[in-house]
Amino acid sequence: MWDIEDTVAGHQANYEPFISKIAEKTASFGKPVLTFEGDSHKYRSDNPLVEGSACSGEPATDCSLDPWTHHPYYDIPNFHRVIVHGSTLPLEWLKLTITPGTNNPTTGTSFGPFSWSRVTP
């Protein structure tokens, strides 16, 4: 939905109804919402629903590209997404920990009650 490497004209615009609904539901929920996706399959941790969101990722991930610019209508700070690693070696998986009542800082590996670690088998 926010694949910053997408080069197909209009492709991202077609996701707008889904992104709008995610933003609406997340805002009304009012608590941290974490999503995992596999757009580019290069690890990335950010919030595409806030302009200029902090970003971390693999060295090949260009955090200077802000996915918010493809859908510049939102300011939803209680949303965070992680793009899972998958298209390059070494392969890895994510270990997710949820600790209710915790408010972890927003980093490349934590957000609200969520924290995760990248594991290489």
Side-chain angles (χ1 to χ4, degrees):
M1 285 187 285
W2 294 282
D3 189 352
I4 54 179
E5 296 177 5
D6 181 16
T7 58
V8 178
H11 175 80
Q12 290 175 341
N14 294 330
Y15 283 107
E16 188 57 35
F18 300 104
I19 293 169
S20 176
K21 188 57 79 172
I22 289 168
E24 173 191 332
K25 295 293 187 181
T26 299
S28 67
F29 184 58
K31 296 177 184 169
V33 172
L34 179 66
T35 187
F36 292 94
E37 62 181 68
D39 275 353
S40 65
H41 297 279
K42 294 176 186 168
Y43 181 81
R44 183 180 174 114
S45 174
D46 67 357
N47 181 346
L49 296 177
V50 170
E51 182 177 16
S53 165
C55 167
S56 66
E58 294 181 32
T61 300
D62 186 354
C63 283
S64 68
L65 300 172
D66 187 349
W68 181 87
T69 59
H70 297 294
H71 305 278
Y73 318 105
Y74 307 105
D75 186 17
I76 311 295
N78 60 313
F79 182 82
H80 195 87
R81 69 127 179 218
V82 174
I83 298 176
V84 297
H85 172 95
S87 64
T88 58
L89 295 175
L91 298 178
E92 70 177 36
W93 56 277
L94 295 181
K95 179 181 179 182
L96 175 65
T97 301
I98 304 170
T99 308
T102 301
N103 189 18
N104 291 309
T106 301
T107 70
T109 57
S110 66
F111 172 69
F114 311 106
S115 62
W116 55 94
S117 57
R118 298 170 68 186
V119 181
T120 303

